[in-house]
């Protein structure tokens, strides 16, 4: 979904399960002018409000969460706010900013709470030209949600990430989870770009090689996904939002057998 093609009202990007053609994962990108606010009815989904640029206040019921945010997605980890299903939320920003709303259809109503930036696990994954950094802010084991899983990945210019290609499109107990996934991209530099590959894991499965730029999103309903390739000189950021129908919230993946030998 190229930037602007999935805009709706106050959202620069609005992907809900109906638009995506699946059952659980959602992502909205909210842009607020200085002093502006936005009301969100969470409905049957849980949501995380994640500052991409700027800070905000998130209020629901008697809970108010101040998010300091960050100057950009390339400036390190950020604090964030979790809001439950069946809630009315107000997001307000004195200085304005851009905020990701990562969501998932869910059953349990968990308490609203703030995720402090110092508590976000940071993982350096891969090496050499496959090195990248992962912010596991809402990974399984890092932050409790009902179904939602979300992480950020920063790939240095010229490097590959989401490699080896992997998939999570069928439920195999103890081996693989069934998860729908959204990739949302921002690329450093005015003319930066990258590439995203999704290849079929089944007959007539998803088959995509896309040039991606800031504000673009790629939907992964099934298939081997990766690599994500950053053009030299332009660091790549992507936000991964995942959820699925499995009996437990789990991130279990299967690597492509043709691309694991010799991987560093």
């Amino acid at each position: 979904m190229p930037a602007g093609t999935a805009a709706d009202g106050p959202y620069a990007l609005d992907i809900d399960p109906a638009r995506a053609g699946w059952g659980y994962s959602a992502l909205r990108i909210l842009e607020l002018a200085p002093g502006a606010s936005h009301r969100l009815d969470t409905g049957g989904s849980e949501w995380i409000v994640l500052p991409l640029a700027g800070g905000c206040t998130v209020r629901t019921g008697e809970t108010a969460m101040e998010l300091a945010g960050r100057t950009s997605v390339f400036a390190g980890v950020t604090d964030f706010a979790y809001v439950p299903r069946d809630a009315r939320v107000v997001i307000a920003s004195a200085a304005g900013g851009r905020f990701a709303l990562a969501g998932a259809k869910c059953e349990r109503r968990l308490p609203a709470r703030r995720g402090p930036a110092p508590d976000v696990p940071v993982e350096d994954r891969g090496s050499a030209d496959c090195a990248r950094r992962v912010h596991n802010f809402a990974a399984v084991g890092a932050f409790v949600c009902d179904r939602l899983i979300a992480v950020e990945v920063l790939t240095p210019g010229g490097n590959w990430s989401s490699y080896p290609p992997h998939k999570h499109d069928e439920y195999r107990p103890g081996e693989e989870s069934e998860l729908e996934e959204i990739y949302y991209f921002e690329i450093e530099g005015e003319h930066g770009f990258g590439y995203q590959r999704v290849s079929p894991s089944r007959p007539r499965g998803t088959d995509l090689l896309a040039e991606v730029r800031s504000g673009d999103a790629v939907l992964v309903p099934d298939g081997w996904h990766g690599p994500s390739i950053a053009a030299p000189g332009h660091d790549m950021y992507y936000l991964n939002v995942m959820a699925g129908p499995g009996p437990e919230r789990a991130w279990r993946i299967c690597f492509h057998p043709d691309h694991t030998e010799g991987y560093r």
Side-chain angles (χ1 to χ4, degrees):
M1 291 184 167
T5 61
D8 186 18
Y11 301 118
L13 175 74
D14 186 3
I15 299 170
D16 63 10
R19 173 170 280 181
W22 56 35
Y24 294 90
S25 298
L27 177 64
R28 298 171 177 173
I29 303 298
L30 174 67
E31 296 178 345
L32 289 179
S37 63
H38 174 69
R39 295 183 181 273
L40 168 69
D41 289 327
T42 61
S45 296
E46 57 187 348
W47 296 87
I48 282 179
V49 180
L50 179 78
L52 302 176
C56 65
T57 302
V58 180
R59 291 186 173 86
T60 179
E62 297 181 355
T63 301
M65 295 168 280
E66 297 287 342
L67 303 182
R70 53 189 167 182
T71 56
S72 81
V73 295
F74 300 101
V77 297
T78 181
D79 48 2
F80 59 94
Y82 174 93
V83 292
R85 60 169 292 161
D86 302 319
R88 293 184 175 180
V89 180
V90 177
I91 304 166
S93 180
R98 191 170 65 259
F99 309 94
L101 280 59
K105 292 284 186 183
C106 66
E107 290 75 40
R108 292 188 298 159
R109 191 175 193 273
L110 303 177
R113 58 203 187 279
R114 177 177 173 269
D119 291 350
V120 173
V122 176
E123 174 189 1
D124 288 322
R125 191 177 295 173
S127 62
D129 53 7
C130 287
R132 63 274 198 191
R133 176 159 288 185
V134 184
H135 299 165
N136 289 302
F137 69 96
V140 176
F143 190 83
V144 176
C145 301
D146 187 32
R147 290 195 176 273
L148 177 64
I149 301 170
V151 303
E152 301 177 304
V153 180
L154 293 110
T155 306
N159 280 19
W160 286 24
S161 60
S162 277
Y163 193 82
H166 59 282
K167 75 180 187 78
H168 42 68
D169 59 9
E170 58 182 318
Y171 175 59
R172 296 186 296 145
E175 296 185 27
E176 186 177 349
S177 307
E178 182 182 352
L179 296 168
E180 311 151 351
E181 184 162 14
I182 303 168
Y183 278 67
Y184 167 77
F185 294 90
E186 295 198 6
I187 313 293
E188 193 170 40
E190 182 180 0
H191 302 294
F193 64 95
Y195 290 92
Q196 177 67 40
R197 178 71 169 121
V198 185
S199 53
S201 61
R202 62 187 68 172
R204 297 180 299 280
T206 301
D207 193 350
L208 174 76
L209 175 60
E211 183 173 297
V212 292
R213 298 178 182 269
S214 289
D216 293 350
V218 169
L219 307 185
V220 186
D222 58 75
W224 303 102
H225 38 293
S228 305
I229 305 171
H234 298 282
D235 292 353
M236 169 190 282
Y237 163 94
Y238 53 85
L239 169 64
N240 292 139
V241 179
M242 294 167 274
E248 61 176 328
R249 178 178 175 247
W251 185 71
R252 297 190 179 98
I253 64 174
C254 175
F255 288 112
H256 197 303
D258 294 344
H259 298 286
T260 55
E261 185 175 352
Y263 169 68
R264 294 182 296 237

